[in-house]
Amino acid sequence: MARLVMKFGGTSVADIDRIRNVARHVKREIDAGHEVAVVVSAMSGVTNQLVAWCRDAAPLHDAREYDAVVATGEQVTAGLLSLALQSEGIPARSWQGWQLPIETSNVHSSARILDINGAEIVKRFKERNREVAVVTGFQGVVKETNRVSTLGRGGSDTSAVALAAALTADRCDIYTDVDGVYTTDPRLVPKAHRLDRISYEEMLEMASQGAKVLQTRSVELAMQRGVRVLVRSSFDPPDLGGRPTDQAEQLGTLVCHEDEIVEQNVVSGIAYARDEAKVTLLKIADKPGVAAQVFGPLAEANINVDMIVQNVSEDGRYTDLTFTVQSADLDRALEVLRKAKDSIGYLDLRGSTDIAKVSAIGVGMRSHAGVAAQMFSALAEKGINIEAISTSEIKISVLIDAAYAELAVRTLHSLFGLDSR
Ligand code: ADP
Ligand code: ASP
Ligand code: MG
């Protein structure tokens, strides 16, 4: 007998038929003798609608009320799935964040989970014939204020991993609309192939560089707490085509420690993000302290800066500075910099969202030189101009014109031998 957390994303619970399908996946594990807690997302499109309503009601909305609205999507799915499970003859009960509780920090709309009390769920596994707990993803409660909070878009993945850690589950299965983690987004590159395994470090870079298959925070948490995460498809037949459930790990991608992976390419995957924006300050003084005057006010306004490039100054007096922020923060960043114009001293300020960031990721880069050079010359051959570069030990990212994003992803995917044969 194992203890499992099974998480189902929006497309997997998009309508009542799909919720029934999810119930059958859960039934398979119950029939195999396992204890199961399920984490559900809102039905596909629901969270987007709720967010749009908040924006419509008040563009500069109160984050606590935003959370009160957007957390409702998951409540509906948890109730519906519990009903579907009961119809299959399986004891099931829904749980919202405040009921367990799932305690979070007080940062509304992007709260972090601090603690989950799984005692009642475990008690019911024992006392009520393995009653299935159906837990709302994405939401929790702020202890000091007793108000509902949410974890940021895609946050149900993090709810699932945190619950798996709290329940000391044997595995956390993330069921989605693809059958695992691919070498790049399979919707963009049909030649992408599924990875059998990926290390926590690589998955963390993939997620933070734009592969939305797992929320970045969920990977961070899985790595910290040693949770085995299996990304798999809810569109596989619930009876797994007759395969035994203990072969499940072969049906998806296991996110695990690097030393559990035998074969390793230099580059494991290519990620891309279109949600960054570029800010350029023209003709700022080339002297100590100017960068602090630019980035200090941005930090105070809670705006995260990603890539930074400063041009070499031709005359030793003036230079240009370019950096990226999340597109959603662009207007605020420009506003902050306009206000600080006198203290910074620049000639002109420009913002643009027509950019994309493309990244090559692989732990093999630690021991292989020349990956960056290969990458830059392949992009140059296609006439793609690189506007900024950033690197980590296992990642190289380039900023390019958004129009070339797809071409760049395909080019790098072939270059590093990732195309399926
Ligand atoms: P869910 O609603 O189940 O949480 P998401 O839409 O958040 O699902 O994540 C799944 C999607 O992530 C896939 O449909 C796919 O288009 C996208 N994706 C991006 N990069 C990758 C990748 N490297 N591997 C698999 N899927 C990816
Ligand atoms: N429903 C939330 C969202 O759409 C959380 C999730 O699906 O993970 O962002
Ligand atoms: Mg998701």
Side-chain angles (χ1 to χ4, degrees):
M1 185 194 79
R3 184 173 290 172
L4 296 175
V5 169
M6 304 171 75
K7 179 260 171 178
F8 295 89
T11 27
S12 306
V13 293
D15 55 36
I16 300 299
D17 274 346
R18 292 207 181 151
I19 290 176
R20 283 200 191 100
N21 177 62
V22 164
R24 288 182 207 115
H25 277 281
V26 175
K27 183 170 187 305
R28 176 190 69 236
E29 304 298 348
I30 291 292
D31 289 348
H34 303 318
E35 294 173 341
V36 177
V38 184
V39 172
V40 287
S41 287
M43 295 161 87
S44 178
V46 167
T47 310
N48 287 347
Q49 175 67 77
L50 296 168
V51 170
W53 280 337
C54 289
R55 291 206 177 116
D56 204 6
L60 290 175
H61 41 251
D62 178 321
R64 282 156 297 194
E65 300 313 330
Y66 166 93
D67 278 354
V69 175
V70 299
T72 58
E74 274 67 15
Q75 181 176 345
V76 173
T77 326
L80 290 173
L81 179 58
S82 301
L83 292 174
L85 284 165
Q86 290 169 1
S87 303
E88 293 273 349
I90 298 170
R93 191 56 67 209
S94 68
W95 297 91
Q96 292 178 54
W98 61 270
Q99 288 174 305
L100 284 176
I102 297 174
E103 285 175 21
T104 75
S105 63
N106 198 358
V107 185
H108 283 277
S109 83
S110 54
R112 287 166 84 95
I113 295 177
L114 301 175
D115 189 40
I116 298 185
N117 185 346
E120 186 63 24
I121 294 181
V122 172
K123 193 168 134 215
R124 289 171 180 234
F125 285 156
K126 308 288 175 221
E127 289 176 359
R128 303 199 185 187
N129 192 22
R130 285 178 289 133
E131 182 183 271
V132 174
V134 184
V135 180
T136 50
F138 184 50
Q139 51 151 285
V141 64
V142 180
K143 195 176 172 190
E144 313 90 89
T145 58
N146 207 22
R147 302 217 63 95
V148 172
S149 54
T150 64
L151 310 178
R153 298 305 305 268
S156 297
D157 298 327
T158 304
S159 308
V161 172
L163 185 64
L167 298 177
T168 57
D170 295 279
R171 205 176 60 220
C172 180
D173 285 355
I174 305 282
Y175 287 82
T176 181
D177 54 6
V178 283
D179 63 351
V181 179
Y182 278 64
T183 45
T184 193
D185 188 346
R187 292 187 204 286
L188 191 75
V189 181
K191 284 181 180 166
H193 67 271
R194 179 167 63 79
L195 297 162
D196 291 332
R197 294 184 170 206
I198 186 168
S199 67
Y200 291 119
E201 275 106 337
E202 287 170 318
M203 191 63 237
L204 193 58
E205 289 281 14
M206 289 281 276
S208 63
Q209 300 309 318
K212 69 165 186 168
V213 59
L214 287 177
Q215 198 197 34
T216 307
R217 179 76 189 121
S218 73
V219 188
E220 219 168 61
L221 201 61
M223 185 156 85
Q224 273 166 12
R225 305 289 298 267
V227 177
R228 281 174 95 71
V229 173
L230 181 67
V231 180
R232 57 191 295 187
S233 173
S234 68
F235 300 128
D236 279 345
D239 68 355
L240 302 183
R243 290 173 82 143
T245 50
D246 59 6
Q247 286 181 17
E249 289 188 4
Q250 290 155 30
L251 297 173
T253 301
L254 187 71
V255 188
C256 59
H257 286 295
E258 201 179 316
D259 51 18
E260 288 184 67
I261 302 173
V262 191
E263 265 182 66
Q264 197 62 266
N265 277 332
V266 176
V267 171
S268 301
I270 310 292
Y272 70 98
R274 288 203 172 108
D275 56 358
E276 285 193 26
K278 181 176 75 170
V279 177
T280 303
L281 288 160
L282 290 172
K283 221 171 170 202
I284 56 169
D286 192 12
K287 61 172 194 210
V290 174
Q293 267 157 348
V294 173
F295 296 115
L298 291 169
E300 268 165 40
N302 245 328
I303 296 170
N304 277 329
V305 172
D306 182 21
M307 299 168 123
I308 303 175
V309 229
Q310 182 173 327
N311 289 349
V312 177
S313 88
E314 280 175 19
D315 55 6
R317 291 170 58 212
Y318 294 106
T319 183
D320 300 336
L321 183 72
T322 296
F323 58 88
T324 62
V325 296
Q326 287 293 305
S327 297
D329 289 335
L330 177 64
D331 290 343
R332 273 196 319 126
L334 294 175
E335 188 57 36
V336 166
L337 294 170
R338 265 184 220 116
K339 281 198 184 130
K341 181 167 186 189
D342 288 344
S343 58
I344 303 169
Y346 54 80
L347 182 70
D348 200 6
L349 171 65
R350 290 181 192 160
S352 142
T353 51
D354 291 336
I355 53 153
K357 188 171 63 171
V358 177
S359 310
I361 291 140
V363 289
M365 280 186 208
R366 286 195 202 115
S367 49
H368 278 77
V371 177
Q374 261 182 294
M375 183 166 165
F376 302 154
S377 54
L379 295 174
E381 260 171 44
K382 299 281 178 190
I384 301 171
N385 185 40
I386 299 172
E387 300 186 33
I389 300 165
S390 72
T391 62
S392 79
E393 211 187 3
I394 64 162
K395 173 212 77 178
I396 301 164
S397 302
V398 293
L399 193 70
I400 60 171
D401 187 326
Y404 293 105
E406 207 170 316
L407 177 63
V409 172
R410 285 175 203 269
T411 301
L412 299 179
H413 196 264
S414 303
L415 174 72
F416 293 115
L418 300 174
D419 288 352
S420 57
R421 280 159 280 269

